[in-house]
Amino acid sequence: MKQRPKNRKTMKAHIKVYLLPVLFLICLQVSAQTIRNTNVKTTTKSVAKSNTQTNKKVQTFSKKVPSSKVTYKTKQKKVASVRNVPNKTKISYQGQNYYYANNRYYTQSRGSYIVIAPKVGFKIKTLPSNYVRVNYNTYNYYNAQGVFYVQTNNVYEVVDPEIGTLVYELPDDSEKVVIDGERYYEYANILYERVKVNDKRAYEVVGIIDME
């Protein structure tokens, strides 16, 4: 009967010996888990910030930009004109005569032929030979000398490109313009902003000038 108190004391001592390491290990696991969670949150925030910087887009407008907001850098518009256009083909659209030759369209004025971009809706059966395919989202464009076409049935129709469409060259007679203090490029009433794509210079469509 006298041994029972001694055994109880021994059991309590053994329990303390076993419990202390277990509690210590639990504390270590909780601390490690807290550190891992903190690191995961920090890493996630860093990646999100990095993605935001990478995906930063150029300024775009709501499709149409009033012509009153557009200021041209040069006082006079660049005009390419010639006295004669050999082997030209005459095409009429909405009361206006176009003359096509050398992959360009001309209009006649005061005895000269002036290079002009055909209006939206203008249709031809054969594309100019210098066209380039341009794909954007679900759109397949044909770009020839700054003019965008889409194929409709058996003809090619001039259209305004979607905002975000990229090209890698602009016509020589494109113009530099300023809108709200920012510089852009314009050709055939299409506004472009110069950007870099894979370290290569490109031009992104950011708006269309509304001439009305």
Side-chain angles (χ1 to χ4, degrees):
M1 298 294 295
K2 293 181 179 179
Q3 285 295 98
R4 288 181 181 176
K6 184 176 179 181
N7 289 340
R8 282 200 295 269
K9 289 181 180 180
T10 304
M11 289 176 66
K12 287 182 179 179
H14 280 285
I15 291 170
K16 288 182 179 179
V17 170
Y18 285 117
L19 279 178
L20 286 175
V22 172
L23 289 173
F24 180 70
L25 287 174
I26 292 172
C27 290
L28 283 178
Q29 289 177 350
V30 172
S31 298
Q33 184 64 36
T34 303
I35 292 171
R36 280 197 296 271
N37 289 341
T38 303
N39 288 338
V40 169
K41 289 179 181 178
T42 303
T43 304
T44 303
K45 288 180 180 178
S46 299
V47 171
K49 183 177 180 182
S50 175
N51 287 341
T52 300
Q53 292 173 345
T54 303
N55 296 332
K56 184 179 179 182
K57 297 189 70 175
V58 296
Q59 178 182 353
T60 58
F61 304 97
S62 56
K63 193 70 174 179
K64 296 289 186 179
V65 179
S67 58
S68 58
K69 294 185 64 176
V70 181
T71 302
Y72 286 82
K73 294 289 288 182
T74 54
K75 292 182 179 179
Q76 292 184 342
K77 184 176 177 63
K78 294 179 182 179
V79 176
S81 64
V82 292
R83 295 263 180 208
N84 188 33
V85 179
N87 302 319
K88 59 184 177 290
T89 300
K90 182 179 177 180
I91 306 172
S92 298
Y93 176 71
Q94 291 186 347
Q96 183 171 357
N97 292 328
Y98 294 90
Y99 300 90
Y100 177 74
N102 304 320
N103 294 322
R104 284 176 174 259
Y105 294 94
Y106 300 83
T107 186
Q108 194 171 25
S109 177
R110 297 180 180 180
S112 296
Y113 292 90
I114 302 171
V115 175
I116 189 174
K119 297 178 181 179
V120 171
F122 179 83
K123 296 176 183 178
I124 54 176
K125 292 183 179 180
T126 305
L127 284 171
S129 60
N130 61 340
Y131 74 85
V132 176
R133 290 178 183 270
V134 178
N135 298 320
Y136 180 71
N137 288 336
T138 58
Y139 294 91
N140 295 314
Y141 297 109
Y142 300 90
N143 181 278
Q145 200 67 28
V147 179
F148 289 84
Y149 301 84
V150 292
Q151 188 173 12
T152 305
N153 298 325
N154 295 322
V155 298
Y156 298 91
E157 183 177 349
V158 176
V159 297
D160 285 332
E162 289 294 306
I163 303 298
T165 303
L166 288 171
V167 296
Y168 291 89
E169 289 185 2
L170 292 179
D172 293 336
D173 47 346
S174 60
E175 300 272 357
K176 292 181 180 179
V177 299
V178 177
I179 303 172
D180 296 332
E182 299 293 332
R183 295 182 180 182
Y184 302 93
Y185 295 85
E186 177 270 335
Y187 184 79
N189 296 330
I190 302 170
L191 292 168
Y192 300 87
E193 184 168 5
R194 188 164 67 180
V195 296
K196 274 193 175 182
V197 178
N198 298 326
D199 293 327
K200 187 176 181 180
R201 184 176 63 186
Y203 300 90
E204 181 172 351
V205 175
V206 294
I208 306 296
I209 298 177
D210 187 356
M211 301 304 294
E212 295 182 1

